[in-house]
Amino acid sequence: MTTGVRRRLGVEERRQQLIGVALELFSRRSPDEVSIDEIASAAGISRPLVYHYFPGKLSLYEAALKRASDELAARFVEPHEGPLGARLLRVMHRFFDFVEEHGPGFAALMRGGPAVGSSRTNALIDSVRQAAYVQILSHLGVTDPPPRLELVVRSWISLAESTALIWLDGRRIPRAELEPQLVNDFAALAAVSATYDEEMAALLRRIVKDEPADGPFANLAGRLVALAS
């Protein structure tokens, strides 16, 4: 009979393990409530050994936040295939998957946690928003957005973020309704902007031209007509 031998982890392997453990704990409770002792216990190592790899909780939080921000930014990556409404709907589904999987950690990230005031933390949050912004522009086929388009896209990203935070606080509206509603919100913001700007109007006409009759944008138009009548 052979006895299993625990393999000693290398420095980077141990760091990645601790980041993963911290993310798992942060996904269930606010980082403010998670102690270094808990992280050490969950990782199966001593508290001093955690400090050997990370100088403090803030350092570990920032490393975990970096991994989470990279994963969240990746949720906005979508193949440029099919109508825009369907693409945005898939993006919103993956976005809410992340929010649901990492609820307290996501809330702490957006509302502030132990790293409040850290320029590195703020930069990571901004990097997620910028990655989402660049992805949306790429789907619109725009490289140099006019001011009103930038306003629409950035406002929509902020709306998705705040909607997710409110949803986490009680989940009183079904996810299955919020995801298409946010896609419709994008169309509505673009439509209002198009009434003020011909460049936005041309962009909106190009988007709508490729939308199917059963897509989320067409669904919005039908709902508005029904409401008016």
Side-chain angles (χ1 to χ4, degrees):
M1 186 173 69
T2 60
T3 302
V5 178
R6 177 179 295 181
R7 183 173 67 87
R8 184 181 180 88
L9 297 181
V11 173
E12 187 55 29
E13 285 181 296
R14 179 66 76 184
R15 280 178 56 84
Q16 293 305 315
Q17 181 212 20
L18 288 170
I19 290 170
V21 167
L23 269 178
E24 175 62 26
L25 292 172
F26 294 160
S27 73
R28 297 198 297 266
R29 285 155 49 219
S30 167
D32 281 327
E33 301 172 358
V34 178
S35 68
I36 287 292
D37 286 332
E38 288 181 86
I39 294 170
S41 176
I45 62 175
S46 66
R47 174 189 174 96
L49 195 54
V50 175
Y51 286 110
H52 175 74
Y53 296 100
F54 295 95
K57 180 177 173 180
L58 176 58
S59 174
L60 178 53
Y61 176 81
E62 288 181 342
L65 182 60
K66 175 64 168 66
R67 183 186 290 184
S69 66
D70 288 345
E71 182 182 342
L72 181 54
R75 302 293 174 111
F76 286 88
V77 177
E78 171 70 23
H80 291 203
E81 299 171 358
L84 179 64
R87 294 184 226 167
L88 291 181
L89 191 57
R90 289 192 292 269
V91 167
M92 284 296 96
H93 185 73
R94 288 196 301 271
F95 172 72
F96 271 91
D97 277 347
F98 180 91
V99 172
E100 193 160 31
E101 292 163 10
H102 304 283
F106 175 81
L109 164 62
M110 296 305 175
R111 288 175 174 153
V116 169
S118 164
S119 59
R120 175 171 166 75
T121 300
N122 292 336
L124 286 172
I125 296 169
D126 287 342
S127 73
V128 174
R129 292 169 179 151
Q130 182 62 20
Y133 174 72
V134 169
Q135 280 295 317
I136 299 304
L137 289 184
S138 72
H139 285 284
L140 295 172
V142 176
T143 55
D144 185 19
R148 280 198 171 89
L149 178 58
E150 180 175 2
L151 180 61
V152 165
V153 176
R154 292 197 185 279
S155 296
W156 183 70
I157 292 168
S158 295
L159 178 61
E161 177 186 308
S162 58
T163 298
L165 287 171
I166 294 169
W167 177 76
L168 280 172
D169 187 16
R171 309 189 185 197
R172 291 168 291 178
I173 301 176
R175 249 189 77 174
E177 294 178 11
L178 278 183
E179 291 168 11
Q181 180 179 319
L182 279 166
V183 176
N184 288 339
D185 286 335
F186 180 86
L189 286 169
V192 171
S193 183
T195 65
Y196 290 87
D197 185 276
E198 178 52 38
E199 194 171 5
M200 280 297 300
L203 176 63
L204 184 63
R205 284 192 290 268
R206 176 164 60 82
I207 292 171
V208 172
K209 177 175 64 70
D210 298 326
E211 289 295 314
D214 60 348
F217 291 170
N219 178 265
L220 172 61
R223 286 173 178 268
L224 291 174
V225 169
L227 183 63
S229 61

